[in-house]
Short mmCIF file of all heavy atoms in Angstrom, two decimals:
data_model
loop_
_atom_site.label_atom_id
_atom_site.label_comp_id
_atom_site.label_asym_id
_atom_site.label_seq_id
_atom_site.Cartn_x
_atom_site.Cartn_y
_atom_site.Cartn_z
N LYS A 1 -56.69 -77.41 -11.22
CA LYS A 1 -56.28 -76.98 -12.56
C LYS A 1 -57.06 -77.74 -13.62
O LYS A 1 -57.42 -78.91 -13.42
CB LYS A 1 -54.79 -77.24 -12.75
CG LYS A 1 -53.87 -76.31 -12.00
CD LYS A 1 -52.41 -76.72 -12.19
CE LYS A 1 -52.01 -76.71 -13.65
NZ LYS A 1 -50.59 -77.06 -13.85
N PRO A 2 -57.28 -77.12 -14.79
CA PRO A 2 -57.91 -77.86 -15.89
C PRO A 2 -57.02 -79.01 -16.37
O PRO A 2 -55.80 -78.99 -16.17
CB PRO A 2 -58.05 -76.80 -17.00
CG PRO A 2 -57.88 -75.50 -16.33
CD PRO A 2 -57.00 -75.73 -15.14
N GLU A 3 -57.64 -79.99 -16.98
CA GLU A 3 -56.89 -81.12 -17.52
C GLU A 3 -55.89 -80.66 -18.57
O GLU A 3 -56.13 -79.71 -19.30
CB GLU A 3 -57.86 -82.13 -18.15
CG GLU A 3 -58.81 -82.78 -17.16
CD GLU A 3 -59.86 -83.65 -17.84
OE1 GLU A 3 -59.74 -83.85 -19.08
OE2 GLU A 3 -60.78 -84.11 -17.15
N GLU A 4 -54.77 -81.36 -18.65
CA GLU A 4 -53.77 -81.07 -19.67
C GLU A 4 -54.23 -81.65 -21.01
O GLU A 4 -54.94 -82.65 -21.06
CB GLU A 4 -52.42 -81.69 -19.29
CG GLU A 4 -51.84 -81.15 -17.98
CD GLU A 4 -51.32 -79.73 -18.12
OE1 GLU A 4 -51.06 -79.31 -19.28
OE2 GLU A 4 -51.19 -79.04 -17.10
N VAL A 5 -53.81 -81.03 -22.09
CA VAL A 5 -54.06 -81.58 -23.43
C VAL A 5 -52.76 -81.60 -24.22
O VAL A 5 -51.81 -80.90 -23.87
CB VAL A 5 -55.12 -80.75 -24.21
CG1 VAL A 5 -56.47 -80.79 -23.51
CG2 VAL A 5 -54.66 -79.32 -24.41
N VAL A 6 -52.74 -82.40 -25.26
CA VAL A 6 -51.59 -82.43 -26.16
C VAL A 6 -51.82 -81.35 -27.23
O VAL A 6 -52.83 -81.36 -27.92
CB VAL A 6 -51.43 -83.82 -26.83
CG1 VAL A 6 -50.27 -83.79 -27.83
CG2 VAL A 6 -51.20 -84.88 -25.77
N PHE A 7 -50.90 -80.41 -27.36
CA PHE A 7 -51.08 -79.29 -28.27
C PHE A 7 -50.69 -79.67 -29.69
O PHE A 7 -49.64 -80.26 -29.93
CB PHE A 7 -50.27 -78.09 -27.80
CG PHE A 7 -50.71 -77.59 -26.45
CD1 PHE A 7 -49.88 -77.72 -25.34
CD2 PHE A 7 -51.96 -77.03 -26.28
CE1 PHE A 7 -50.30 -77.28 -24.10
CE2 PHE A 7 -52.39 -76.59 -25.04
CZ PHE A 7 -51.55 -76.71 -23.95
N GLU A 8 -51.56 -79.32 -30.63
CA GLU A 8 -51.35 -79.59 -32.05
C GLU A 8 -51.09 -78.28 -32.79
O GLU A 8 -51.51 -77.20 -32.37
CB GLU A 8 -52.59 -80.26 -32.65
CG GLU A 8 -53.01 -81.56 -31.98
CD GLU A 8 -52.13 -82.74 -32.37
OE1 GLU A 8 -51.32 -82.56 -33.31
OE2 GLU A 8 -52.27 -83.80 -31.76
N ASN A 9 -50.40 -78.39 -33.91
CA ASN A 9 -50.27 -77.27 -34.84
C ASN A 9 -49.66 -76.02 -34.19
O ASN A 9 -50.04 -74.90 -34.49
CB ASN A 9 -51.65 -76.93 -35.43
CG ASN A 9 -51.56 -76.17 -36.73
OD1 ASN A 9 -50.65 -76.40 -37.52
ND2 ASN A 9 -52.48 -75.25 -36.95
N GLU A 10 -48.71 -76.22 -33.28
CA GLU A 10 -48.06 -75.08 -32.62
C GLU A 10 -47.07 -74.41 -33.57
O GLU A 10 -46.19 -75.06 -34.12
CB GLU A 10 -47.31 -75.53 -31.37
CG GLU A 10 -48.17 -75.77 -30.17
CD GLU A 10 -47.33 -76.09 -28.94
OE1 GLU A 10 -46.65 -77.13 -28.95
OE2 GLU A 10 -47.35 -75.31 -27.99
N GLN A 11 -47.22 -73.10 -33.72
CA GLN A 11 -46.28 -72.31 -34.49
C GLN A 11 -45.29 -71.65 -33.53
O GLN A 11 -45.44 -71.73 -32.31
CB GLN A 11 -47.01 -71.24 -35.31
CG GLN A 11 -48.12 -71.79 -36.18
CD GLN A 11 -47.63 -72.81 -37.21
OE1 GLN A 11 -46.65 -72.56 -37.90
NE2 GLN A 11 -48.30 -73.95 -37.30
N ILE A 12 -44.27 -70.97 -34.07
CA ILE A 12 -43.22 -70.41 -33.22
C ILE A 12 -43.77 -69.43 -32.19
O ILE A 12 -43.35 -69.42 -31.03
CB ILE A 12 -42.11 -69.75 -34.09
CG1 ILE A 12 -40.97 -69.28 -33.18
CG2 ILE A 12 -42.68 -68.59 -34.93
CD1 ILE A 12 -39.73 -68.86 -33.95
N TYR A 13 -44.77 -68.60 -32.58
CA TYR A 13 -45.30 -67.62 -31.64
C TYR A 13 -46.19 -68.28 -30.58
O TYR A 13 -46.32 -67.76 -29.47
CB TYR A 13 -46.05 -66.52 -32.38
CG TYR A 13 -45.17 -65.76 -33.36
CD1 TYR A 13 -45.48 -65.70 -34.71
CD2 TYR A 13 -44.00 -65.14 -32.92
CE1 TYR A 13 -44.66 -65.02 -35.60
CE2 TYR A 13 -43.17 -64.46 -33.81
CZ TYR A 13 -43.51 -64.41 -35.15
OH TYR A 13 -42.69 -63.74 -36.02
N ASP A 14 -46.79 -69.42 -30.92
CA ASP A 14 -47.53 -70.19 -29.91
C ASP A 14 -46.56 -70.70 -28.85
O ASP A 14 -46.83 -70.62 -27.65
CB ASP A 14 -48.24 -71.38 -30.56
CG ASP A 14 -49.26 -70.96 -31.60
OD1 ASP A 14 -50.04 -70.04 -31.32
OD2 ASP A 14 -49.26 -71.55 -32.70
N LYS A 15 -45.43 -71.22 -29.29
CA LYS A 15 -44.44 -71.75 -28.34
C LYS A 15 -43.87 -70.64 -27.47
O LYS A 15 -43.60 -70.84 -26.28
CB LYS A 15 -43.33 -72.46 -29.11
CG LYS A 15 -43.80 -73.73 -29.80
CD LYS A 15 -42.71 -74.39 -30.62
CE LYS A 15 -43.25 -75.64 -31.32
NZ LYS A 15 -42.21 -76.30 -32.17
N PHE A 16 -43.72 -69.46 -28.04
CA PHE A 16 -43.25 -68.32 -27.26
C PHE A 16 -44.27 -67.99 -26.16
O PHE A 16 -43.91 -67.76 -25.00
CB PHE A 16 -43.05 -67.11 -28.17
CG PHE A 16 -42.33 -65.96 -27.52
CD1 PHE A 16 -40.96 -65.79 -27.67
CD2 PHE A 16 -43.03 -65.04 -26.74
CE1 PHE A 16 -40.31 -64.73 -27.07
CE2 PHE A 16 -42.38 -63.99 -26.14
CZ PHE A 16 -41.02 -63.83 -26.30
N ALA A 17 -45.56 -67.99 -26.54
CA ALA A 17 -46.62 -67.71 -25.55
C ALA A 17 -46.65 -68.80 -24.48
O ALA A 17 -46.88 -68.50 -23.30
CB ALA A 17 -47.97 -67.63 -26.26
N ARG A 18 -46.41 -70.05 -24.88
CA ARG A 18 -46.37 -71.13 -23.89
C ARG A 18 -45.23 -70.88 -22.90
O ARG A 18 -45.35 -71.12 -21.71
CB ARG A 18 -46.21 -72.48 -24.57
CG ARG A 18 -46.12 -73.63 -23.57
CD ARG A 18 -46.84 -74.87 -24.01
NE ARG A 18 -46.34 -75.49 -25.21
CZ ARG A 18 -45.85 -76.75 -25.25
NH1 ARG A 18 -45.73 -77.45 -24.14
NH2 ARG A 18 -45.48 -77.27 -26.39
N GLY A 19 -44.11 -70.37 -23.42
CA GLY A 19 -42.98 -70.05 -22.56
C GLY A 19 -43.33 -68.95 -21.55
O GLY A 19 -42.93 -69.02 -20.39
N VAL A 20 -44.08 -67.97 -22.01
CA VAL A 20 -44.54 -66.90 -21.11
C VAL A 20 -45.38 -67.48 -19.98
O VAL A 20 -45.21 -67.14 -18.80
CB VAL A 20 -45.36 -65.85 -21.90
CG1 VAL A 20 -46.07 -64.88 -20.95
CG2 VAL A 20 -44.46 -65.08 -22.86
N VAL A 21 -46.28 -68.39 -20.32
CA VAL A 21 -47.16 -69.00 -19.32
C VAL A 21 -46.36 -69.86 -18.34
O VAL A 21 -46.57 -69.80 -17.12
CB VAL A 21 -48.28 -69.82 -20.00
CG1 VAL A 21 -49.06 -70.65 -18.98
CG2 VAL A 21 -49.21 -68.90 -20.77
N ILE A 22 -45.44 -70.65 -18.86
CA ILE A 22 -44.61 -71.50 -17.99
C ILE A 22 -43.81 -70.64 -17.01
O ILE A 22 -43.74 -70.92 -15.81
CB ILE A 22 -43.67 -72.38 -18.84
CG1 ILE A 22 -44.49 -73.44 -19.59
CG2 ILE A 22 -42.62 -73.06 -17.96
CD1 ILE A 22 -43.69 -74.20 -20.65
N LEU A 23 -43.21 -69.57 -17.53
CA LEU A 23 -42.42 -68.67 -16.68
C LEU A 23 -43.31 -68.01 -15.62
O LEU A 23 -42.93 -67.91 -14.44
CB LEU A 23 -41.75 -67.60 -17.54
CG LEU A 23 -40.80 -66.62 -16.82
CD1 LEU A 23 -39.67 -67.37 -16.14
CD2 LEU A 23 -40.26 -65.60 -17.82
N SER A 24 -44.50 -67.59 -16.02
CA SER A 24 -45.43 -66.98 -15.08
C SER A 24 -45.82 -67.95 -13.98
O SER A 24 -45.88 -67.59 -12.79
CB SER A 24 -46.68 -66.51 -15.83
OG SER A 24 -47.71 -66.19 -14.93
N ASP A 25 -46.10 -69.20 -14.36
CA ASP A 25 -46.46 -70.21 -13.36
C ASP A 25 -45.31 -70.48 -12.40
O ASP A 25 -45.52 -70.63 -11.18
CB ASP A 25 -46.89 -71.51 -14.05
CG ASP A 25 -48.24 -71.38 -14.76
OD1 ASP A 25 -48.94 -70.38 -14.52
OD2 ASP A 25 -48.57 -72.28 -15.56
N LEU A 26 -44.09 -70.54 -12.92
CA LEU A 26 -42.91 -70.80 -12.07
C LEU A 26 -42.67 -69.65 -11.10
O LEU A 26 -42.34 -69.89 -9.92
CB LEU A 26 -41.67 -71.01 -12.94
CG LEU A 26 -41.58 -72.35 -13.70
CD1 LEU A 26 -40.40 -72.33 -14.66
CD2 LEU A 26 -41.42 -73.51 -12.71
N LEU A 27 -42.80 -68.42 -11.57
CA LEU A 27 -42.53 -67.24 -10.75
C LEU A 27 -43.75 -66.80 -9.94
O LEU A 27 -43.64 -65.89 -9.12
CB LEU A 27 -42.06 -66.08 -11.62
CG LEU A 27 -40.75 -66.28 -12.39
CD1 LEU A 27 -40.46 -65.05 -13.25
CD2 LEU A 27 -39.59 -66.53 -11.42
N LYS A 28 -44.91 -67.46 -10.20
CA LYS A 28 -46.18 -67.06 -9.59
C LYS A 28 -46.45 -65.57 -9.81
O LYS A 28 -46.81 -64.82 -8.89
CB LYS A 28 -46.19 -67.41 -8.09
CG LYS A 28 -46.00 -68.90 -7.81
CD LYS A 28 -46.24 -69.24 -6.38
CE LYS A 28 -45.97 -70.72 -6.11
NZ LYS A 28 -46.67 -71.64 -6.99
#
């Protein structure tokens, strides 16, 4: 996997997209 980074300037829709990615990773 690519290295993790600390996310800056996240808006509400960015956090929603992050949630989509986390859910996708969990459910494969």
Side-chain angles (χ1 to χ4, degrees):
K1 288 176 59 178
E3 295 174 8
E4 298 288 340
V5 297
V6 177
F7 297 112
E8 302 283 350
N9 201 35
E10 281 185 296
Q11 307 300 311
I12 185 169
Y13 300 122
D14 299 315
K15 293 176 181 179
F16 191 96
R18 178 142 63 119
V20 169
V21 171
I22 291 170
L23 184 59
S24 167
D25 289 347
L26 286 172
L27 297 178
K28 300 190 183 307

